[in-house]
Amino acid sequence: MKTSFPALFLIAHLLGTLGCSTMTTSSNPALPHDTLYDASVFDAATATALSIEQLAQQLKDTDVVVVGEYHGHQGAHLLQSRLQVALHGQRPEQVLTMEQFNLDHQADVDRYLRGGTGETEMIEDTDAWPNYRASYRPLVEFARQHSIPVVAANAPADVVRCVGRRGADYLQTLSSEARMQLPETPFADTEGYREKFLEAIGHSHGESSGEMSARMQNTYRAQLLRDNTMAMRIRQAREQHPGHQVLHVTGTFHSEDRLGTVGLLEAMAPDVSVAVISPVFRAENGTEPDMKEHGRKGDYLYLIHPLPPEFRDSEREKKAMRARFNRSADTECD
């Protein structure tokens, strides 16, 4: 079975872990998709096109705004940056929480925001993602310039990798200090998430949607650890900054369909209002997809062009995936 394009994003991400204050936009919300950077935003319930300013106005009173992304898609990152600015204009009390930084590097992020380190030092200290400068610099710089707290929301990468390799019992080997940083229930689940996970990644490993091997169970637990940690960190951000709006950026798999991080957050903090903004790919010929087909993915949808395929040669694709997995195997889990 051929792996779907969104699944490739998830698989690559899992293998990597297991192993200007003013911005103008057009008054016409339904701009044509001319480049990979263009995105059109729609209300999922009504299929009404919205400008970024209109979207921000609708989200003004929402406690947590979650923007799902395909990692490395510049259309997604540009939309996130524009929305951050527009939301701040409506409600300056803002906190930025990010999947892209791990909680054990919070002090390194804070030191950079205070001016204690330079950008390259921060990138090295936090083990920032390779696409930080191209994709996440605008978000962090806007936060730094406007004294917006930035929360490192993800679980420690080494812990995630070792859970993926050794299973849930690995957490028992952590120091009490390290364990206390993680959620009390690190592997809590949301209904339907397991099936979605297997549909996305299981077929590529030759497993059916109704079963999980021990290896896949551990991979899934690593995914749950990430989701539970991000949900916990968002809740903590709300508690530490009362009255602030949280903008959370994450891979869309963690948020769409209100599963993963979003479902766990809503279970942890049922009184917190959450809006989900999810990406949807246009067809290669540029036509718009049927909104009804994707409406469940979020409260709002943004349409973006699909990226060029990474591979045409299946053998080269397999080789690249193996290389990514082998790089993650360097972590010691003693």
Side-chain angles (χ1 to χ4, degrees):
M1 179 174 182
K2 186 173 177 58
T3 307
S4 68
F5 184 57
L8 285 176
F9 276 89
L10 175 65
I11 294 166
H13 184 48
L14 287 172
L15 289 178
T17 57
L18 298 176
C20 157
S21 59
T22 302
M23 195 172 289
T24 60
T25 59
S26 169
S27 60
N28 177 10
L31 288 172
H33 267 53
D34 293 326
T35 75
L36 282 173
Y37 291 87
D38 296 319
S40 297
V41 181
F42 292 85
D43 184 308
T46 65
T48 303
L50 302 170
S51 67
I52 294 294
E53 289 81 3
Q54 289 169 333
L55 175 61
Q57 181 62 43
Q58 292 195 17
L59 295 171
K60 182 178 180 180
D61 298 322
T62 302
D63 297 326
V64 179
V65 178
V66 181
V67 185
E69 65 175 45
Y70 290 116
H71 303 313
H73 195 301
Q74 299 307 325
H77 300 310
L78 180 58
L79 177 132
Q80 289 167 340
S81 184
R82 286 176 168 165
L83 181 59
Q84 178 190 35
V85 174
L87 288 172
H88 185 265
Q90 298 282 351
R91 187 173 168 181
E93 299 79 16
Q94 187 182 92
V95 179
L96 175 64
T97 63
M98 302 182 68
E99 175 194 355
Q100 294 77 19
F101 291 117
N102 302 330
L103 64 81
D104 51 329
H105 290 297
Q106 183 66 61
D108 300 314
V109 174
D110 291 342
R111 187 161 53 250
Y112 175 69
L113 295 174
R114 293 194 306 266
T117 54
E119 184 182 68
T120 296
E121 293 168 310
M122 181 274 290
I123 290 171
E124 293 176 352
D125 293 345
T126 62
D127 194 23
W129 290 14
N131 63 328
Y132 171 81
R133 286 188 172 94
S135 301
Y136 305 108
R137 173 193 272 167
L139 294 170
V140 174
E141 288 308 295
F142 184 84
R144 185 176 65 84
Q145 292 162 11
H146 294 83
S147 300
I148 295 169
V150 177
V151 174
N154 212 340
D158 288 354
V159 176
V160 173
R161 292 188 187 106
C162 290
V163 167
R165 196 177 307 163
R166 290 179 46 181
D169 290 346
Y170 175 75
L171 296 189
Q172 297 177 15
T173 71
L174 299 178
S175 68
S176 58
E177 181 182 3
R179 180 63 184 86
M180 285 180 63
Q181 287 188 305
L182 299 175
E184 185 176 346
T185 54
F187 306 114
D189 206 346
T190 49
E191 186 178 356
Y193 195 51
R194 178 183 182 275
E195 290 73 20
K196 181 182 177 184
F197 180 88
L198 267 179
E199 179 67 25
I201 194 173
H203 289 305
S204 70
H205 288 68
E207 303 194 26
S208 72
S209 58
E211 61 184 26
M212 272 193 180
S213 65
R215 180 188 62 169
M216 190 60 67
Q217 285 281 7
N218 291 342
T219 303
Y220 185 54
R221 290 189 183 103
Q223 176 81 354
L224 291 176
L225 178 59
R226 286 179 167 279
D227 285 309
N228 279 276
T229 302
M230 286 191 281
M232 176 194 72
R233 295 289 282 169
I234 295 169
R235 184 194 63 188
Q236 290 173 344
R238 287 277 303 164
E239 294 169 349
Q240 293 165 8
H241 303 280
H244 285 52
Q245 183 176 59
V246 174
L247 173 62
H248 180 65
V249 293
T250 187
T252 188
F253 198 90
H254 294 287
S255 58
E256 67 182 22
D257 302 323
R258 306 193 85 84
L259 298 176
T261 297
V262 170
L264 293 164
L265 174 62
E266 291 179 324
M268 287 180 188
D271 295 333
V272 172
S273 59
V274 183
V276 178
I277 305 171
S278 298
V280 174
F281 285 119
R282 288 177 179 255
E284 289 189 5
N285 63 6
T287 59
E288 294 185 3
D290 184 350
M291 289 296 179
K292 293 179 181 177
E293 229 178 89
H294 299 277
R296 70 185 188 284
K297 290 184 176 180
D299 302 290
Y300 301 91
L301 305 174
Y302 64 97
L303 304 188
I304 48 179
H305 277 307
L307 292 172
E310 284 193 80
F311 296 92
R312 301 277 187 193
D313 185 322
S314 61
E315 288 305 312
R316 291 182 67 178
E317 180 178 10
K318 290 176 185 177
K319 184 177 179 180
M321 288 296 178
R322 283 195 298 268
R324 290 172 185 173
F325 182 81
N326 289 337
R327 284 197 297 272
S328 73
D330 294 338
T331 301
E332 295 292 337
C333 297
D334 296 332

